[in-house]
């Protein structure tokens, strides 16, 4: 069964690095768009990051074509302009003004391609901060997410590049909306998504809580939960999260685990009363769950309608039986190693997004990309010899 390709025929040229910008191209490519990734001569340095950055390139750049250009040369800029002239979408996430300085700003690019949708992924939307350099972690710290994630007094960034990725998703939303508007008007436009404002959108629920109650939201490890049972419980081996989020589920939970004394207290049949009585309720539940194994707890909860979760690690996901039914796709790394990586989490018309993908070698698609623009072989070879284009003659 073939994967959905709703964006087939859409051409994207991508000037990106790290995570936020490549996420935009990865999602658009996963939906069927053709992505040409412009890298510096020798390839994007993101390819060579170590430690926590080692997964950035393979996760967000599979299925793209690669061409390496020297954007400090007139010839390299000319190639970039030709790519942009034939593109539906341009994606970039470099520092403010970086592409402007080489003549690849929106106004210049749209003159030759008025239908172009120019998507900038930045640290900040217009305002006093817009010239600052931002990273995912900067935005999390500034915007209150790190404060909400860590224990009181110990701000902690979230355990994934959530702002980069979500900011990229907002960029995709803007691009799709701009494509739809172009259907009606024939005109493209510039859109901008940002790290800081993305963070603020995510912590908006805590801002709204303060607006409604007048009480500042406490960091998540110290919060007063909206539900009486919404905790990680230690078992005899591995911990398990359990949530009891309705009064009907409270009754079911008590029956499943034989907590007859808790159910017998009619004062606790309503959630808010249970929240106020957490100090009495939770120790009894912890004592019971502590006598069981994680497998025994999960066996009782599975199929019950009660929210629960074992505490998984990223490396566990490769062997997850649910993900292996379509949540992971075959990817060939640039050294030829086959791996499995997450697909775009969508189903369309009963079909999952995802297909076997390869990581592009730096500049490996130069000939194919330039031939599609109408360049003759002799000209391509000359550009490579001059160093304006990376690759082999």
């Amino acid at each position: 069964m073939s994967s959905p390709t709703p964006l087939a025929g859409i051409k994207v040229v991508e000037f990106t690095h790290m995570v936020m910008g490549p996420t935009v191209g990865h999602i658009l490519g996963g939906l069927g768009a053709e992505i040409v990734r412009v890298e510096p001569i020798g390839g994007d340095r993101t390819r060579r990051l170590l430690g926590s950055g080692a997964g950035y390139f393979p996760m967000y750049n599979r299925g793209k074509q690669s061409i390496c250009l020297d954007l400090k040369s007139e010839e390299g800029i000319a190639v970039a302009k030709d790519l942009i002239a034939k593109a539906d979408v341009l994606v970039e996430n470099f520092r403010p003004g970086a592409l402007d300085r080489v003549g690849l700003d929106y106004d210049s690019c749209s003159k030759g391609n008025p239908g172009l949708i120019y998507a900038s992924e930045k640290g900040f939307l217009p305002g006093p901060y817009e010239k600052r350099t931002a990273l995912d972690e900067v935005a999390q710290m500034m915007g209150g997410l790190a404060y909400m994630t860590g224990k009181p007094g110990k701000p902690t960034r979230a355990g994934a590049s959530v702002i980069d990725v979500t900011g990229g998703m907002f960029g995709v939303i803007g691009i799709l909306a701009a494509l739809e508007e172009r259907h009606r008007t024939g005109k493209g436009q510039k859109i901008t998504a940002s790290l800081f404002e993305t963070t603020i959108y995510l912590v908006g629920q805590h801002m709204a809580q303060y607006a409604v109650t007048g009480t500042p939201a406490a960091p998540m490890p110290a919060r007063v939960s909206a539900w009486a049972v919404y905790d990680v419980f230690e078992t005899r081996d591995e911990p398990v999260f359990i949530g009891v989020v309705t009064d009907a589920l409270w009754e079911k939970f008590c029956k499943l685990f034989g907590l007859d004394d808790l159910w017998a207290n009619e004062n606790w049949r309503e959630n808010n009363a249970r929240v106020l009585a957490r100090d009495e309720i939770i120790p009894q539940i912890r004592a019971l769950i502590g006598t069981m194994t994680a497998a025994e707890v999960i066996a009782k909860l599975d199929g019950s309608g009660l929210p629960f979760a074992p505490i998984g690690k990223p490396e566990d996901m490769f062997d997850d039986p649910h993900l292996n039914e379509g949540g992971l796709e075959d990817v060939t790394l640039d050294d030829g190693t086959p791996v499995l990586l997450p697909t775009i989490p969508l189903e369309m018309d009963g079909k999952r997004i995802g297909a076997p993908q390869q990581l592009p070698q730096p500049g490996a698609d130069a000939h194919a990309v330039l031939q599609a623009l109408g360049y003759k072989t002799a000209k391509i070879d000359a550009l490579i010899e001059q160093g304006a284009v990376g690759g082999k003659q």
Side-chain angles (χ1 to χ4, degrees):
M1 185 167 61
S2 61
S3 299
T5 55
L7 296 184
I10 297 295
K11 298 183 182 298
V12 180
V13 59
E14 185 184 303
F15 298 82
T16 68
H17 66 152
M18 302 294 275
V19 176
M20 191 186 191
T23 296
V24 178
H26 174 242
I27 295 172
L28 295 174
L31 295 172
E34 177 186 311
I35 316 295
V36 174
R37 191 168 197 279
V38 177
E39 302 186 53
I41 301 297
D44 178 7
R45 291 184 179 181
T46 307
R47 293 174 176 271
R48 299 182 286 277
L49 290 176
L50 303 177
S52 61
Y56 291 173
F57 196 86
M59 178 60 204
Y60 302 111
N61 289 288
R62 54 192 188 262
K64 302 176 182 179
Q65 294 179 292
S66 171
I67 183 171
C68 294
L69 300 180
D70 178 5
L71 295 183
K72 295 180 181 178
S73 71
E74 291 185 10
E75 295 83 4
I77 289 294
V79 172
K81 289 181 176 178
D82 285 343
L83 281 168
I84 294 166
K86 297 290 181 68
D88 296 287
V89 179
L90 180 153
V91 180
E92 66 91 14
N93 75 315
F94 286 97
R95 293 176 64 176
L99 289 189
D100 298 5
R101 287 191 290 273
V102 296
L104 300 181
D105 56 285
Y106 170 68
D107 289 340
S108 298
C109 293
S110 64
K111 286 178 182 177
N113 183 357
L116 179 69
I117 294 158
Y118 190 109
S120 286
E121 300 283 309
K122 298 300 183 187
F124 305 90
L125 293 179
Y129 304 152
E130 67 181 300
K131 299 300 183 184
R132 292 186 186 180
T133 300
L135 303 168
D136 185 295
E137 199 145 338
V138 169
Q140 290 195 38
M141 296 292 172
M142 284 185 67
L145 182 59
Y147 170 83
M148 290 301 300
T149 302
K151 295 179 180 179
K154 294 185 177 181
T156 305
R157 67 155 288 158
S161 300
V162 292
I163 305 303
D164 276 325
V165 174
T166 310
M169 292 166 65
F170 277 119
V172 172
I173 292 168
I175 289 167
L176 296 179
L179 284 169
E180 176 58 27
E181 188 168 23
R182 194 178 72 174
H183 291 156
R184 300 191 301 272
T185 67
K187 295 181 180 179
Q189 60 183 283
K190 182 178 181 179
I191 67 161
T192 308
S194 71
L195 293 169
F196 182 60
E197 282 81 1
T198 292
T199 308
I200 300 307
Y201 191 84
L202 294 183
V203 302
Q205 66 192 85
H206 305 305
M207 295 170 65
Q209 176 186 335
Y210 179 69
V212 169
T213 67
T215 302
M220 296 302 271
R223 76 194 187 282
V224 176
S225 175
W227 298 283
V229 182
Y230 201 75
D231 297 80
V232 174
F233 294 89
E234 296 293 336
T235 72
R236 283 166 47 196
D237 43 24
E238 299 291 333
V240 177
F241 169 81
I242 303 172
V244 180
V245 294
T246 69
D247 296 333
L249 288 176
W250 171 246
E251 179 179 6
K252 182 175 289 188
F253 178 74
C254 289
K255 288 180 178 179
L256 276 175
F257 287 91
L259 294 165
D260 299 334
D261 290 345
L262 292 182
W263 177 248
N265 190 328
E266 295 188 5
N267 293 328
W268 295 344
R269 300 284 175 89
E270 198 275 329
N271 177 70
N272 286 351
R274 293 193 298 276
V275 171
L276 296 175
R278 264 181 59 87
D279 289 346
E280 296 178 68
I281 294 171
I282 292 299
Q284 297 181 58
I285 298 174
R286 290 197 186 284
L288 174 63
I289 299 297
T291 67
M292 306 171 68
T293 65
E296 289 169 342
V297 173
I298 289 170
K300 281 185 174 293
L301 293 169
D302 201 7
S304 70
L306 280 149
F308 74 94
I311 310 303
K313 303 181 186 72
E315 60 268 25
D316 298 337
M317 300 303 111
F318 291 108
D319 297 318
D320 184 89
H322 184 83
L323 291 177
N324 277 284
E325 289 293 322
L328 302 173
E329 64 187 11
D330 295 308
V331 179
T332 303
L333 301 181
D334 55 9
D335 65 359
T337 302
V339 299
L340 291 171
L341 290 175
T343 63
I344 294 169
L346 284 175
E347 182 180 88
M348 299 184 68
D349 196 24
K351 299 176 183 177
R352 290 290 293 267
I353 302 293
Q357 301 282 1
Q358 287 190 319
L359 283 183
Q361 294 282 346
D365 304 295
H367 278 272
V369 168
L370 295 180
Q371 286 171 352
L373 293 176
Y375 283 39
K376 302 299 184 184
T377 301
K379 183 176 181 179
I380 297 171
D381 289 343
L383 287 167
I384 293 172
E385 185 176 356
Q386 293 166 7
V389 176
K392 297 179 181 179
Q393 296 181 356

